[in-house]
Amino acid sequence: MLEPREGIPPVIADAAALAEVIGAFAAGSGPVAVDAERASGYRYGQRAYLVQLRREGAGTALIDPVACPDLSGLGEALSGVEWVLHAATQDLPCLREIGMVPSHLFDTELAGRLAGFPRVGLGAMVENVLGFVLEKGHSAVDWSTRPLPEPWLRYAALDVELLVDLRDALEKELDRQGKLEWALQEFDAIASAPPAEPRKDPWRRTSGMHRVRRRRQLAVVRELWETRDRVARRRDVSPGKVLSDAAIVEAALAVPSNVHALAALNGFGHRMGRRQLEQWQTAVERAKSLSESQLPQPGQPVTGPPPPRAWADKDPAAAARLSAARAAVSALAERLNMPQENLVAPDTVRRLCWEPPKDADADSVAAALAGHGARPWQIEQVTPVLVEALSTKGTGA
């Protein structure tokens, strides 16, 4: 499929055109296909730079959320309507920022996982389920570009062209497999989930951190990361374009004594100006001047069980329970033809095996699963195999 059925619609970039779209989509019928394009790797943050919608009776709309940053009127017009998204959790945060929050949804990627499709990207799903090949050449472009080139707009319109058709076909397939109710529970859980909490100590996710062992070096990572973040936010560019993670780790390992030593490190080479080098060296000096009590602790506070590789030494019985539980969940997932992580969250299994209920019977295991956020269908499926795994392996190494 190379062209949208009605051609490429004009990009909505003013209040009058947006009001027309809101009226048309409010008057449409059936589910609404929704997609958003971000500029990951180019811009700071994960904001939407294009929003695409399609609904029976309204056609396709392409909206510029930079020119129209408040789409809450559109969100309200679609309240109560089922939104069809592909990989909903990726798009919902940026849609929420501009006032678009679905009350209920259908996620075609998650539906594909539950139905057992081996490839669940949108192109693969449309091809396998509907028999159409979508042109997929522009997914990683800089969507903050203005004006957006016509080939990109064509690609964006095609992303929602067949989404409702895909939803209808997947609904039939899930129903045929007896999994439709499971999928609906999953979609409700996504739609009702609160926004994610800001990540604590995000600098600890710097790639290559496993090489940084000493607390003073950790402080260098933190100071450089936070400086980079401020610069990236101010310039509205991806942090990786300001300074690479690899460069941050190199500086942390070396703890350079001056700008000259910093400039000799990988990632701080000849193309970096003196002022930039001084900015990074100042961050290093801040880390060097901290007292011992101000230095970050190695590792993050662990709220759950320790890493499974340590279980055999710390608690052999728990390690045996986890081994049995993983094998049982894996076998069940294979029988149900779906990924293990969609059957039950691996973290939930770990927590249950590390601290099992005192009497690991069906009721207590089901209650523990519910306490960890498992949906009713998941509890129904995995409780019997987990009860068996916990009881048969709970007393020995």
Side-chain angles (χ1 to χ4, degrees):
M1 179 169 275
L2 299 175
E3 285 287 334
R5 277 169 274 197
E6 298 99 20
I8 304 169
V11 177
I12 305 303
D14 62 63
L18 179 59
E20 282 187 31
V21 163
I22 291 173
F25 274 79
S29 61
V32 58
V34 182
D35 190 24
E37 304 295 348
R38 300 177 299 282
S40 304
Y42 297 95
R43 295 289 182 174
Y44 185 87
Q46 293 295 315
R47 67 174 293 187
Y49 283 94
L50 188 69
V51 175
Q52 308 101 280
L53 304 99
R54 182 175 179 84
R55 192 180 189 196
E56 187 69 34
T60 296
L62 303 178
I63 303 174
D64 179 358
V66 178
C68 302
D70 181 6
L71 298 186
S72 55
L74 178 59
E76 287 165 15
L78 296 171
S79 177
V81 175
E82 181 188 82
W83 295 22
V84 184
L85 301 107
H86 191 81
T89 53
Q90 292 182 23
D91 286 341
L92 288 179
C94 71
L95 290 169
R96 188 187 296 272
E97 282 183 11
I98 52 179
M100 295 186 66
V101 184
S103 53
H104 56 287
L105 59 85
F106 190 107
D107 185 334
T108 50
E109 188 208 44
L110 183 49
R113 291 180 184 278
L114 295 175
F117 285 89
R119 294 166 61 226
V120 292
L122 181 59
M125 293 289 290
V126 166
E127 187 173 349
N128 290 339
V129 178
L130 301 177
F132 287 96
V133 177
L134 289 181
E135 193 264 315
K136 293 294 288 181
H138 304 294
S139 59
V141 298
D142 180 2
W143 287 96
S144 69
T145 301
R146 292 296 182 273
L148 285 162
E150 185 176 288
W152 299 11
L153 295 174
R154 181 182 298 110
Y155 158 87
L158 286 171
D159 260 5
V160 290
E161 182 81 12
L162 297 169
L163 211 46
V164 173
D165 297 329
L166 180 61
R167 171 237 177 272
D168 291 345
L170 288 170
E171 183 181 56
K172 287 191 180 77
E173 178 59 23
L174 288 166
D175 193 33
R176 186 187 70 78
Q177 294 186 23
K179 298 175 180 174
L180 182 56
E181 175 55 32
W182 304 357
L184 296 177
Q185 289 180 29
E186 291 298 302
F187 303 156
D188 283 346
I190 294 171
S192 60
E197 292 285 325
R199 197 181 293 278
K200 189 177 186 298
D201 292 346
W203 59 270
R204 291 185 184 272
R205 293 178 64 82
T206 303
S207 182
M209 274 290 287
H210 62 280
R211 298 170 59 202
V212 182
R213 306 289 176 141
R214 297 176 182 167
R215 292 176 66 200
R216 185 73 57 186
Q217 295 173 329
L218 289 171
V220 173
V221 173
R222 181 175 65 187
E223 292 296 333
L224 286 171
W225 190 98
E226 291 178 349
T227 300
R228 178 183 73 173
D229 194 64
R230 286 193 295 273
V231 172
R233 186 189 296 268
R234 187 178 72 242
R235 289 171 45 193
D236 190 19
V237 296
S238 168
K241 289 190 176 298
V242 176
L243 188 69
S244 70
D245 279 11
I248 289 177
V249 170
E250 286 296 319
L253 295 174
V255 193
S257 55
N258 52 44
V259 168
H260 181 72
L262 180 71
L265 299 175
N266 286 336
F268 298 90
H270 58 279
R271 287 182 297 174
M272 191 173 285
R274 176 82 186 187
R275 184 178 294 178
Q276 286 177 292
L277 287 168
E278 286 174 349
Q279 168 183 262
W280 304 126
Q281 185 61 32
T282 299
V284 173
E285 296 300 331
R286 278 199 301 274
K288 287 160 70 173
S289 69
L290 296 174
S291 67
E292 283 293 318
S293 64
Q294 294 172 306
L295 296 177
Q297 293 295 331
Q300 291 173 285
V302 177
T303 54
R309 64 179 177 274
W311 286 27
D313 292 331
K314 289 177 181 289
D315 188 339
R321 287 194 293 268
L322 182 62
S323 177
R326 282 174 163 173
V329 168
S330 175
L332 178 58
E334 199 167 320
R335 285 200 301 278
L336 294 174
N337 190 28
M338 70 171 65
Q340 292 178 50
E341 62 271 20
N342 292 112
L343 176 57
V344 62
D347 181 63
T348 295
V349 175
R350 285 193 294 271
R351 288 172 185 269
L352 197 62
C353 291
W354 185 251
E355 290 188 66
K358 188 176 180 186
D359 299 311
D361 57 17
D363 288 343
S364 63
V365 169
L369 288 168
H372 291 305
R375 264 70 71 192
W377 77 269
Q378 294 175 314
I379 295 169
E380 183 182 350
Q381 293 299 316
V382 301
T383 293
V385 299
L386 289 178
V387 167
E388 189 175 343
L390 292 173
S391 60
T392 56
K393 297 289 186 178
T395 54

